[in-house]
Amino acid sequence: MGDIVRIGAATAFFNDSRMGIAQLLAKDEQLDYIIFDFLAESVMGGLGRSMANGTGQGFAADFVDGYILPHLQTLLDRGIRIVANAGGLNPSACAEALRRGAASAGLNVRIGVVEGDNLTAESATIIGLDTRDMFDNSSVLETVEGADQINSLVAYTGAFPIAAAIAAGADIVITGRAVDSAMALGPLIHEFGWGPDDFDLLAAGTLAGHLLECSAQVTGGTFTDWRDVPDWADIGMPIGECRADGGLVITKVEGTGGLVTIGTVSEQLLYEVSDPQRYYVADVTCDFTGVSLKQVGPDRVEVTGARGLGRTATYKASVTYDAGWRATALVPIIGLEAAAKARRLGHEMFARTNTMLRQSQLPPFTQTRCDIIGGGGEGPTTAICRLIADHPDQAGAQFLVREQSSGISHMSVGISLSLVASVRPVQRIAAFLIAKSSVSQTVMVEGESVPFTSVADAKGKEADAVAPAMPATPGDAEAGHTVPLIRLAWARSGDKGNLFNVAVIARRPEYLPYIAAALTPEIVGKHYGRLLCDGRTLPVDRYSVPGLSALNFVVGNSMDGGVLASTSLDPVAKGMAQLLLDFPITVSVACADSLVPTASPNGAVSTSDVHSQRISHP
C-alpha cells in the first residue's frame, strides 16, 4: 500500500467477540497492525477487586488464550503487529503469560510492555485535600474516605511510549490504561515520525484511533438506521487506511456484513467526546468541529479536518471504589394484569424487607428501585419485576435476595422463579486531573529498557479557539409540518461518569437549522428530566459541530452515579439517543416535501416507518 498504514480493530471492550481477529486475518491480506481495546473505568475496578481478593491477576487473561495464541503463528508469519491495552493493572503479568504460551507453542515473540499508569498503591498520597472531581468539583478525598475499599487508581497515558516499543522491535505491545485512541496513534507516530508538537497530525491520528477503537460501531453496529445494516452475524471489522499527512479512510473487511457510510462514521466520531472542540487526550487537545466526511466509494469514507490545539500538562485520572452492596432480583409474573401485579409485588417486597431489617437492628436500604418490564396490553401477558435495593452491609442486601423467592407463595398469583437474584458490591467512579510530572512510565521490550519521548509540558493556543456559532434560526417554519427527529437526523449516545452525551447529526445540512431551533438546551434538559428524573430539568450543554452538520449535547447529573452505581436499565446510556428520536421538529412545507420518501444510500428512513403530521400555527 506504499505510504498507507492499514490498522484493523478487533475489539471494543472487555470480553468482546473473538470473531474480530479471526475475520481480519482470514479476509484481509494487507494489514500492518491490529489493535485491541479492552478497558473501561468499570473494568479497571473489577480487575483491582479481583487482585485484592486473590481471584485474578489484574489483566485481561482472555487476550492471551482466546485472542492471540490461536493466531500467533499467522501474525508472526505475516508481520502484523498487535497493540492492546489488555494489561489492565498488571501489563507485565499479561506479557509473561503470553510469553509462556508462545514458548509452549514453540514460537519466539518480542513483547513490549508499557507501565506506570497504575497508581493504585499511591492513592493515599495522590488524592489530597485539593483533589476535585473534574465533573462536579466535589472533594475526591471525602468521597474515597467513605469507601469500603479503593479498587483502582489509574492515569490515562499517551501514545509515545507505544511508538517507542514498536521502534524497539516489539511484535506485540501491551499497555495498561492508555487512552483508547493511543492504540492507533502509537503505531502512526512510529511509522510516520510524527513529533510531540505536530499537533494537527496527532489530532488526526487520535481521530483515527477514536473511530477504530469501538470496532463495529463505526461499521454499522448500533447505527440509527439499523434496518439498513446487513448481516449482523458477520459484521465487518473496521480498517483505517492512514497516511503521513493525517489523511484517513475508514473502511471494513471486504465480503462482510455491516456498512461504512457518512452516517455510521459521524455517529462514532461524536461518540462520548463531550465538547468536540476540546477533546482532551494525553498527547493533544483535539478540535473535531471542522472535520468533514466524504463517501469515496462503497464502504469507504474519507475523514479530513482534525486540528490540534496543543497539549495539557495533566492526565485524566480515574479512581474506582466500592461503597455498599446491591441486591438485584428479576421476578417474572404471568397472567392477567401482570404489570399491576408486578408493581404491587415491588411495593410489598420492599415493605417486608425493610421491616425485617428494622427487626434485625440493621439500617434501612439506602435506595430502592422497581422497574416493570412488559405486562401491558389485553389478555394474559408476562411482566418482569426488576427489584434493586442498596444497603451499606452485605448482610442487609442479602435480605432482599433471600426474601424475594417467598413471593411465589406469599404474594401474587402467576409469580414464577426469579431469573436473577444476586448481591454484589456497588462500585463507583470519580475522575480528576493529575500532573503528568507525577506519573513515571517505563517501556520494556524483552527485558530491555527503552527510552521514549516524554510529553509532560503544556503547549498550544487552545485559548484562541473560537467556538462555532449555532445554526441561524430558520424563518420559514411558521406554517409547516412537524416530523420526528429520526426523519432529519442520526443520533448516538453514551455515558461518561454521571453524565451522558447525545450526538445529533443532520442527514442533510439544510435540516440542521430546524433541529437546532427545536432542540435547545432547556428543552432537551426538560425532555430527559421528564423521562428519567420525575420531571426535574437536567443541566445540558450544547455544542455546534458545523463540519458534520451536527449538535452534541452533554446531559449532566443524569446517570445515577455512573455505570456500575446506576440503578437504571441503561447504565451505559446506549439508549438515550433513542429516547430523543421521536421528538417533534417543526420544518417548513418545502423541507417536509423534500424528505426522502424511501430508504436511500445515506440511510434515511422511509415514510412508511415514520410519518409527518401537518400542523397550523396561530
Side-chain angles (χ1 to χ4, degrees), residues 292-380:
S292 62
L293 306 178
K294 182 180 180 182
Q295 194 85 43
V296 294
D299 295 318
R300 295 180 61 81
V301 172
E302 183 179 49
V303 184
T304 57
R307 294 179 57 225
L309 301 181
R311 177 174 54 249
T312 68
T314 56
Y315 291 126
K316 174 187 172 183
S318 176
V319 58
T320 63
Y321 59 97
D322 289 342
W325 294 81
R326 172 163 297 164
T328 301
L330 300 181
V331 183
I333 299 94
I334 302 162
L336 296 170
E337 299 183 280
K341 294 170 183 173
R343 193 170 295 108
R344 182 175 174 186
L345 170 65
H347 174 78
E348 301 278 4
M349 191 60 68
F350 288 142
R352 173 181 289 191
T353 47
N354 264 316
T355 297
M356 296 175 77
L357 287 169
R358 187 167 57 251
Q359 292 169 342
S360 299
Q361 298 185 329
L362 289 172
F365 294 125
T366 54
Q367 70 171 339
T368 60
R369 177 169 179 150
C370 177
D371 293 305
I372 310 304
I373 306 167
E378 299 292 331

Side-chain angles (χ1 to χ4, degrees), residues 194 200-201 203-212 218 239-251 260-270 287-297 299-307 547-548:
W194 294 345
D200 286 347
L201 296 174
T206 296
L207 180 52
H210 175 67
L211 290 171
L212 293 170
V218 78
I239 295 170
E241 297 178 353
C242 309
R243 299 195 306 269
D245 63 358
L248 169 68
V249 170
I250 295 293
T251 185
V260 180
T261 67
I262 288 174
T264 68
V265 177
S266 294
E267 285 193 7
Q268 178 58 29
L269 197 156
L270 291 179
D287 180 357
F288 294 155
T289 57
V291 171
S292 62
L293 306 178
K294 182 180 180 182
Q295 194 85 43
V296 294
D299 295 318
R300 295 180 61 81
V301 172
E302 183 179 49
V303 184
T304 57
R307 294 179 57 225
L548 299 180

Side-chain angles (χ1 to χ4, degrees), residues 461-601:
K461 298 181 179 180
E462 181 185 343
D464 296 337
V466 178
M470 288 292 160
T473 301
D476 58 357
E478 275 73 19
H481 287 261
T482 60
V483 297
L485 177 63
I486 194 171
R487 291 293 306 279
L488 305 173
W490 303 290
R492 168 74 63 81
S493 59
D495 72 299
K496 277 295 177 185
N498 200 32
L499 55 82
F500 63 86
N501 284 227
V502 180
V504 177
I505 307 109
R507 295 175 185 272
R508 294 180 178 175
E510 58 266 30
Y511 299 163
L512 186 61
Y514 301 106
I515 296 170
L519 298 181
T520 66
E522 182 179 9
I523 287 174
V524 171
K526 287 182 177 179
H527 178 76
Y528 282 114
R530 176 176 60 82
L531 296 175
L532 304 176
C533 302
D534 298 323
R536 173 170 56 91
T537 299
L538 295 171
V540 174
D541 294 320
R542 183 177 72 164
Y543 301 97
S544 177
V545 193
L548 299 180
S549 299
L551 301 172
N552 204 47
F553 298 90
V554 178
V555 184
N557 196 23
S558 54
M559 292 303 295
D560 195 19
V563 56
L564 289 184
S566 175
T567 60
S568 169
L569 282 166
D570 184 19
V572 290
K574 296 289 190 183
M576 292 301 108
Q578 301 300 303
L579 299 180
L580 193 64
L581 283 171
D582 67 343
F583 194 93
I585 309 294
T586 303
V587 300
S588 69
V589 173
C591 179
D593 290 344
S594 73
L595 293 178
V596 178
T598 56
S600 69

Side-chain angles (χ1 to χ4, degrees), residues 2-176:
D3 61 349
I4 294 177
V5 172
R6 301 182 82 247
I7 301 176
T11 61
F13 57 89
F14 204 78
N15 290 332
D16 198 354
S17 172
R18 295 182 184 180
M19 67 165 278
I21 185 170
Q23 182 196 88
L24 286 163
L25 292 176
K27 298 184 178 182
D28 194 289
E29 297 292 331
Q30 297 177 309
L31 287 175
D32 299 298
Y33 293 86
I34 297 177
I35 61 175
F36 292 80
D37 178 26
F38 284 98
L39 302 182
E41 290 90 343
S42 57
V43 171
M44 303 307 293
L47 292 174
R49 189 188 300 114
S50 69
M51 289 184 73
N53 63 26
T55 60
Q57 298 183 67
F59 62 87
D62 202 36
F63 169 72
V64 175
D65 299 320
Y67 295 90
I68 297 301
L69 287 179
H71 305 286
L72 184 55
Q73 182 71 70
T74 301
L75 291 168
L76 294 172
D77 289 346
R78 291 169 56 180
I80 299 172
R81 294 182 174 183
I82 298 292
V83 182
N85 57 16
L89 295 172
N90 200 353
S92 289
C94 182
E96 183 56 32
L98 180 56
R99 194 174 289 112
R100 288 195 303 269
S104 296
L107 299 174
N108 182 30
V109 58
R110 290 179 59 82
I111 303 174
V113 178
V114 178
E115 291 187 294
D117 57 284
N118 180 7
L119 308 173
T120 309
E122 305 163 55
S123 59
T125 56
I126 289 174
I127 300 174
L129 291 173
D130 297 330
T131 307
R132 315 300 296 186
D133 187 282
M134 63 187 294
F135 294 113
D136 63 16
N137 202 40
S138 62
S139 169
V140 177
L141 180 61
E142 291 180 7
T143 296
V144 299
E145 282 181 339
D148 297 333
Q149 70 177 39
I150 292 177
N151 294 322
S152 68
L153 172 59
V154 293
Y156 288 64
T157 55
F160 281 92
I162 296 171
I166 297 170
D171 302 306
I172 297 173
V173 180
I174 298 172
T175 78

